[in-house]
Structures are given as C-alpha cells and as structure tokens.
Amino acid sequence: MRILIKSVKVQDSRSAHYEKTVDLLAEKGQWTTIAPSIQSDADVVIEGNNLSWSPSLVDLRVHNTLPGGEHREDWTSLSQAAKKGGVLDILLLPTGTPVPQQADAIASIQAKSAEVAFHAMAPLSIDNQGENFTDLLDLHRAGANWFGHGAGSLQTVDLMAKSLQYLQTLPVTIVSRPDTEALSLYGQIHEGLQSTLLGLKGIPVLSETMSIKRDLDLLRYVRSNAFGLANDQFRLHFSCLSTAESVRLIQAAKQEGLPVSADVAVHQLIYTEDAVADFDTNKKVFPPFRSESDLAALWEGLKTGVIDAVVSDHHPIEFEAKALEFDHADFGTIGLETLLVAFVGAAEKRGLKHAIDYITHKPASLLGVDLPSLTEGSVVKGIVYQQGISAVYQEKDIVSRSKNACFLGETFDVEIVSVIQGDQIVYQR
C-alpha cells in the first residue's frame, strides 16, 4: 500500500527533517520519498491544516487489569485505546489477578503483542505481598527487564535492599512509585489548603519524599558493596513524581552519579489540588494533584532533564467504583487516549522544547525499544496529528471499557488524525 502525507511538520528530533514541513511517501511499510512536494498516486492520501508527524508513543506506566479485571479493560479495548492514542509500545505493571509472576505468564503477555507491543513488568515479590521473592532470574530469562511492586513501592526495607542487591548485577530496571504507606494511609488528596477546606485527610509531600530518600540510601549502600559486579545498565526508576522536593532529590542523585531515572504522569502536569474542589472522583488520583509550586517544579524537571519521561498512568476503573462519595471512590484515571493530545498542548504553553521526545524517544531508550526515525528507507511507525483545533473531550469519544477520565470536559487544541505502522493505518480519526 502507498501512503502519501501532504504538508506535514516533522516532530522527530532524531530526523534530519526535524521541524521542516514536507510531504511523505511510504510504500510497503517503508518511507520511499521525503521532499518539499511530492506528486504521486497513492492508495491513501492524508492531508489537512497544521499537520505534524511524530514517532509512535512509548508509555512506561499502564495498569494491567488482566486476568481478572476484564470488566475494567480487556486486551481488545486496551489495544484500541492505545492505538487511538498513538501508543504502540506499552509497559504493563504487574497488577493482574493473579499476578503475572511465572515465566510463562510473562511470555504470554508479550506474545499478545501485535499492532501494539506489550512489555511485561515482573513483580519483585510473590503476589505483590512484600514477603517473599519471586523467581527474579527466571522472570528475567523469560523476557522481563523491568521489575516493580505492583503499582506502588515495596515497603519492606530488607526486601527492597535485597532486590537492589540481586538485580543490580543484571541489565534491568527496578521501579518504585514512591510512597510511605504509613503516612499516606486513608489519605484522599494533597495535604494542603484544599484538604483543610474540604475536610478530607491529606496525603503529605513527606510520604513521597521519604520513600525516595530511603530508596536512594539503599541504592548507595548496595552500590558501595557491589564488589565490581554492578551492571552498567542497571537502573532504579522513580515513577509518577508529584512534588518539588522529589525533583530536587532526583536531580541531586543524578549529579551524584547514581543510576536513577524518573517519570511524571501527564495529568500531574495539568492540574493542581484545586481541581478536586468540586469532589470530581475522576480527578481522584494517586499520587494526588499537588500545589502550584509543585506543578511548576515538575515542568522545570522536564526542561532540565531531571525527569526522563511522561507517562499516562492509565488505570481503568469501573463506573461503580467511581460513582461514590469522594472518600470511598477508587484512585485512578485512564489516559492512553489522551497522552499526546494533553501533553503536546500543555508543553507548548509551558515552552518545553523537544516535547515529543518525552513520550517517544526518551521512554523508548529507557525501555530498550528501537523507534525508527523519519528517514528514507526506514520503517513507518508513527502518528499524524493536527494542531490549532478545538475539541472537547467527551465520554462518547472513549474507546476504553472504563470511562474514568480526569480530562473529561477539557478542550484540547491537538487531535490525532492517523496512526500508521508499516503499511497499515491502525487508527484513523
């Protein structure tokens, strides 16, 4: 199939055509011609105003609901949501029921990859209980290169220390969504002005920063006692940073030379604690939306390279678990379908350069995914999106089985037109 894209601005920082407006011609899944103007017959012609081309997205944080949570998301709806959002590589948290903790379970998840590639994160402990190790080496041999404690942080200090000791000899990443559960227990929103006004128990900044400090201390300890066996590609990754102090701690750790990386959820870059003043349970997320100064620090963390990637933190929740009083509703928001459209618009307003990199090449590098850059002869894998529009995000637009989107009712000025992989258009507006 021949695909022709007319007058599209290239948003691929690794391409020689970066920020140029060109025509693109692909045949049999490869770029054949990139030029200012192409006059050629094609099976599909994509054209419009203010079009941009981007590599497909890589999402480092998607909650796995399978098996056991098919009412929240199944493999079909997950794939559809990902394709609509232009996310063709997904890292799934070890959060299914039962937990995917055997080698064949990891292999089974990754075998489901088709138009969307599923990368399975393996659990550090059996059933995510924080008591006994899983077979870490066996899981790694099965293809797991990322390990985590469900969707959170391993609270058992001894087990976390031993996880770092054992796994630092391998080219793998350990993930922590930093949280000190004894401090965040029963918390509903950020501990601040709104928690006082609304009468809800707050989740203090300290619950996150204390966890980061602990894990960094443990990392320093095991690195100083590695006896030269530490793998150069080993990394400790902090997911869903939400506070200014967290950014400062990661910055200092990187300057110290510790093998750390970090991400932030896209909704944390949009909202502050004021967003929950009307008790909208779709905006009840963990970590909670913080203060304006925290939000500003997160953007600064992106600009300075302290934060390596932006994630969706896609967490499907059924209607019945959200249509409750705020303090009884579940935490979580879906986000695969809005990762690009929410982030690109916000990043432009904040003056973030190379914004697309934070949802494409940067997370791809962390995950070990080779994203093809735009050049003649390379494989076609990317997104055509349109800017300068005005589109209200509504429930009818959602293809995920769950509709708990924090962005419902928001007006976006970016919209995905097409998602292309090889010679297939896997999504068309």
Side-chain angles (χ1 to χ4, degrees), residues 94 99-103 106 121-140 144 146-149 159 163 166-167:
V99 176
Q101 55 196 11
Q102 294 84 23
I106 297 298
M121 188 186 299
L124 290 168
S125 66
I126 294 175
D127 295 330
N128 290 322
Q129 294 299 306
E131 297 174 357
N132 298 295
F133 286 116
T134 55
D135 192 334
L136 302 175
L137 290 178
D138 197 34
L139 291 168
H140 176 55
W146 286 57
F147 292 80
H149 181 64
L159 207 64
S163 295
Y166 295 159
L167 290 174

Side-chain angles (χ1 to χ4, degrees), residues 68-353:
E70 287 80 1
H71 60 292
R72 292 184 166 186
E73 200 84 280
D74 57 31
W75 289 113
T76 299
S77 66
L78 180 61
S79 296
Q80 289 174 338
K83 288 186 290 185
K84 183 178 180 181
V87 185
L88 299 186
D89 287 274
I90 287 175
L91 180 61
L92 286 169
L93 296 173
T95 49
T97 306
V99 176
Q101 55 196 11
Q102 294 84 23
D104 58 351
I106 297 298
S108 175
I109 289 172
Q110 299 185 159
K112 295 184 183 297
S113 299
E115 292 169 335
V116 177
F118 297 112
H119 307 266
M121 188 186 299
L124 290 168
S125 66
I126 294 175
D127 295 330
N128 290 322
Q129 294 299 306
E131 297 174 357
N132 298 295
F133 286 116
T134 55
D135 192 334
L136 302 175
L137 290 178
D138 197 34
L139 291 168
H140 176 55
R141 293 190 195 100
N145 294 316
W146 286 57
F147 292 80
H149 181 64
S153 169
L154 192 55
Q155 300 297 298
T156 312
V157 178
D158 179 59
L159 207 64
M160 183 61 177
K162 286 185 170 61
S163 295
L164 290 164
Q165 286 176 322
Y166 295 159
L167 290 174
Q168 71 170 334
T169 61
L170 300 172
V172 301
T173 299
I174 293 180
V175 178
S176 173
R177 200 273 334 270
D179 174 42
T180 307
E181 291 179 2
L183 293 175
S184 63
L185 188 65
Y186 306 123
Q188 302 296 317
I189 63 174
H190 171 64
E191 184 180 82
L193 177 61
Q194 286 298 333
S195 66
T196 302
L197 294 175
L198 301 178
L200 294 171
K201 186 178 186 300
I203 300 171
V205 165
L206 186 62
S207 69
E208 180 169 306
T209 57
M210 183 180 288
S211 179
I212 293 175
K213 290 175 184 177
R214 184 206 72 169
D215 287 351
L216 289 176
D217 280 344
L218 291 175
L219 181 60
R220 292 185 186 99
Y221 172 75
V222 301
R223 298 292 284 186
S224 65
N225 293 279
F227 306 107
L229 299 176
N231 192 288
D232 289 341
Q233 296 180 59
F234 173 78
R235 184 188 305 109
L236 176 59
H237 182 84
F238 293 96
S239 190
C240 291
L241 298 189
S242 70
T243 79
E245 177 64 8
S246 298
V247 175
R248 190 195 67 77
L249 289 168
I250 302 302
Q251 181 179 36
K254 286 189 171 186
Q255 290 173 345
E256 185 182 337
L258 291 175
V260 297
S261 55
D263 68 51
V264 60
V266 63
H267 45 265
Q268 295 287 352
L269 298 167
I270 309 295
Y271 295 119
T272 67
E273 59 177 326
D274 294 339
V276 298
D278 61 354
F279 296 100
D280 181 359
T281 59
N282 282 329
K283 293 187 174 66
K284 183 179 180 181
V285 295
F286 198 101
F289 300 132
R290 301 288 187 179
S291 69
E292 184 64 45
S293 60
D294 290 313
L295 184 146
L298 294 172
W299 280 106
E300 188 62 24
L302 288 171
K303 291 177 181 179
T304 57
V306 175
I307 298 175
D308 301 272
V310 176
V311 300
S312 72
D313 197 20
H314 179 78
H315 191 176
I317 304 290
E318 68 273 23
F319 173 79
E320 292 79 7
K322 279 291 190 179
L324 299 168
E325 292 84 355
F326 194 92
D327 56 338
H328 293 292
D330 285 2
F331 290 96
T333 178
I334 58 171
L336 274 171
E337 299 171 49
T338 51
L339 177 55
L340 182 142
V341 299
F343 179 60
V344 168
E348 190 169 289
K349 293 172 185 174
R350 292 277 177 168
L352 179 66
K353 296 180 180 179

Side-chain angles (χ1 to χ4, degrees), residues 10 36 42 71 77 174 192 199 230 256 296 311 346 369-370 377 397-398 406 419 424:
V10 177
H71 60 292
S77 66
I174 293 180
E256 185 182 337
V311 300
V369 170
D370 184 21
D397 301 321
I398 298 172
C406 68
V419 180
Q424 299 294 316

